[in-house]
Amino acid sequence: MSRLADSSKAASLCCVVSLTVLTMLGMIFAHATSVTPRDEHLATLRQAYARPATEWPAPWLDADVAFVELGKLNLPSSPSSHEQRRVALGARLFHDTLLSAGNDLACSTCHDERHGWSSGMPTAPGHALARGRRNPPSLHNVALRPYLAWDGRGSSLAAQSLAPLTISEEMANKDLDSVLARLHADTDYAARFAEVYGAGSISADKLADALVAFQTRLETETRFERFAAGDPNALTDQELWGLHLFRTKARCINCHFGPLLTDDRFHNLKISFFGEKAQDLGRYQVTHLADDVGRFRTPSLRHVGQTAPYMHNGLFPTLEGVINLYDRGGGEVWARNKSEAANPLYPFATHLSSHIRPLGLSDQEKAALASFLRTL
C-alpha cells in the first residue's frame, strides 16, 4: 500500500476507489506480480477499472509529471462536402509518385497505412535508394502534436509536409516550383485544385493545405478507448493486467499519458550511440543546447502495435524489445577512448532521463504489458 499512497501524494490525485479494493490491489499487485494473478485477483482488478477513469487506482508518478489520465481522443467531426473534396485531393497527392523527382516515391512510401503510417522498416528508401538515419514517425494524430520529427525540428505540419519534397535523399526535387509545374501540367490535378480552392495557380500553400487535410483524418478509435468508455469486454484479463502495470510498476505512465499517450517532451534513453558511426544526438541538432544531447521526442503510443520497428532509428523490431530496454533501465553510453571522454558533450550524452530506472518485470508481466500496448 505504501507505494500506491506515495504515488497518490506525488500526483496530487484524489483516489476514491473503495478502501477494500485499493488495499487488495496494493497487496496483490504492488509487490506480488511476478507470477500471473489468480482469477479472483483479476476480478478485483477488473472491479477497480470498471469505475470511471477518475476513480482508477492511483498511478505511480514522479513528482514533476504534469499527468493527465488516459482516455478517449476526440476525433474530428464528419467532414462537409467541401472538406471531403479537400481530403480526397490530399489523399491522392499523398499516394502519388508525381511528387518525387524520379516519379518513383510518394509520401506513402515512407508512411504506409499498412504499417500504422510508418514504413515497417528501420529506415525507408529514398531517392536513388538513399537511406536516412531515422525511422519514419507514424502520422497518427500528427496534426495534434506541438513538435514534429524525432528531434522536434518541425512545428508546422504544413511546412513539414512539404519538406521531404526537396530533400536530396528523399524525394529529391530541386525546388518546390518544379513540383508545382508538374501538377499544373496535369489537367486532372488542375481541375481538382480549382474545385477545392477556386480559380488560380496551384501554389505551395494549396499543396500543403491538401496534404494537411488528409493527415488530419488518419486517426481511428482504439480498443482501449472502447474499454475506457465503458465496454468491459474490450480488454482481456491479460490486457487489463497490462493496463495496471502500464500505470504502476512499469512506469510507462510517466511519459505516456492523456488521450495522445505522450508528454510531448524530449528524453535521453542513452541510445544515441555517442561516438559511434550510428551516432545521433537528437534534439541537440535543433537547439544546440548541451542538455539536449541524446534526447528524442516522446512518441504517441496510439496504434503502437502497428508501427514496428521502434525508436528513432528502428532499433527494436518488436514491442518486447522495447519493454526489455525499459526494464533494464535504458541503454548504454560509454567512452571508448580518452578523446571521446574529453568531448564536452560526452557527460550530457550519459544523462539518463530521470523517469528511467530498472523495473524488475517478470516474463509474465512483460507479456501482459505487451498485450495491453497492442490495444492502444
Side-chain angles (χ1 to χ4, degrees):
M1 271 296 292
S2 60
R3 297 185 69 177
L4 284 171
D6 289 343
S7 296
S8 181
K9 292 176 183 177
S12 299
L13 296 175
C14 180
C15 182
V16 295
V17 177
S18 71
L19 180 60
T20 300
V21 171
L22 190 56
T23 300
M24 291 182 67
L25 285 175
M27 291 188 298
I28 295 167
F29 295 103
H31 304 292
T33 50
S34 60
V35 296
T36 303
R38 296 195 299 271
D39 289 346
E40 61 269 27
H41 297 159
L42 289 168
T44 301
L45 189 64
R46 190 168 288 279
Q47 178 185 351
Y49 282 94
R51 299 169 179 270
T54 55
E55 300 178 17
W56 283 356
W60 295 6
L61 294 171
D62 294 332
D64 60 341
V65 175
F67 176 69
V68 176
E69 187 56 85
L70 307 180
K72 183 174 177 59
L73 180 66
N74 292 325
L75 299 179
S77 58
S78 299
S80 64
S81 57
H82 177 268
E83 178 68 9
Q84 289 175 0
R85 291 191 294 272
R86 185 167 160 253
V87 171
L89 174 58
R92 178 174 173 181
L93 290 162
F94 189 88
H95 292 90
D96 199 337
T97 59
L98 181 69
L99 297 189
S100 65
N103 197 30
D104 55 350
L105 300 170
C107 303
S108 57
T109 303
C110 295
H111 299 282
D112 189 333
E113 181 178 10
R114 296 169 298 178
H115 300 289
W117 302 106
S118 183
S119 68
M121 298 176 282
T123 59
H127 181 70
L129 301 180
R131 293 269 179 172
R133 292 182 302 161
R134 293 179 180 169
N135 179 251
S138 169
L139 297 183
H140 279 296
N141 61 74
V142 67
L144 303 176
R145 307 296 299 280
Y147 300 102
L148 304 172
W150 283 102
D151 56 18
R153 67 179 58 244
S155 58
S156 162
L157 181 55
Q160 192 72 14
S161 298
L162 296 180
L165 301 180
T166 55
I167 294 176
S168 59
E169 64 268 24
E170 295 191 35
M171 300 176 87
N173 293 286
K174 63 178 181 179
D175 51 39
L176 286 177
D177 286 341
S178 61
V179 180
L180 299 176
R182 292 197 297 274
L183 293 172
H184 274 296
D186 187 298
T187 56
D188 187 54
Y189 269 126
R192 285 173 178 262
F193 270 91
E195 181 184 22
V196 175
Y197 297 104
S201 61
I202 300 175
S203 66
D205 287 344
K206 293 174 183 177
L207 172 58
D209 183 76
L211 289 170
V212 168
F214 172 66
Q215 291 173 84
T216 61
R217 295 285 171 174
L218 302 181
E219 262 294 359
T220 56
E221 184 182 54
T222 68
R223 191 149 53 88
F224 167 71
E225 287 181 308
R226 295 199 297 274
F227 175 83
D231 179 0
N233 298 317
L235 298 186
T236 67
D237 284 347
Q238 184 187 47
E239 292 162 351
L240 183 62
W241 184 25
L243 164 61
H244 189 65
L245 289 165
F246 184 96
R247 299 178 73 255
T248 55
K249 182 177 179 180
R251 295 179 46 80
C252 312
I253 202 73
N254 282 283
C255 296
H256 299 281
F257 51 74
L260 287 176
L261 291 160
T262 174
D263 62 0
D264 278 314
R265 296 176 65 187
F266 299 85
H267 297 282
N268 185 348
L269 307 182
K270 295 175 71 172
I271 55 173
S272 66
F273 293 91
F274 187 87
E276 302 180 39
K277 184 179 181 180
Q279 173 180 288
D280 189 336
L281 301 186
R283 182 67 170 160
Y284 171 79
Q285 295 175 210
V286 176
T287 67
H288 304 294
L289 298 175
D291 279 343
D292 284 333
V293 169
R295 291 185 179 181
F296 292 90
R297 179 176 62 93
T298 305
S300 167
L301 294 186
R302 291 183 63 86
H303 313 284
V304 69
Q306 304 170 20
T307 63
Y310 303 101
M311 299 302 179
H312 69 274
N313 51 6
L315 183 62
F316 298 108
T318 66
L319 285 172
E320 285 76 8
V322 177
I323 291 170
N324 284 334
L325 172 73
Y326 285 107
D327 184 55
R328 72 185 298 274
E332 295 288 348
V333 173
W334 59 84
R336 295 171 298 177
N337 51 55
K338 291 182 179 180
S339 176
E340 286 185 8
N343 188 317
L345 296 182
Y346 172 72
F348 297 94
T350 66
H351 283 179
L352 183 69
S353 169
S354 61
H355 298 311
I356 306 301
R357 63 198 64 171
L359 301 173
L361 297 174
S362 69
D363 289 344
Q364 295 93 333
E365 289 172 323
K366 292 177 183 178
L369 184 58
S371 294
F372 169 66
L373 290 173
R374 293 185 172 98
T375 75
L376 294 173

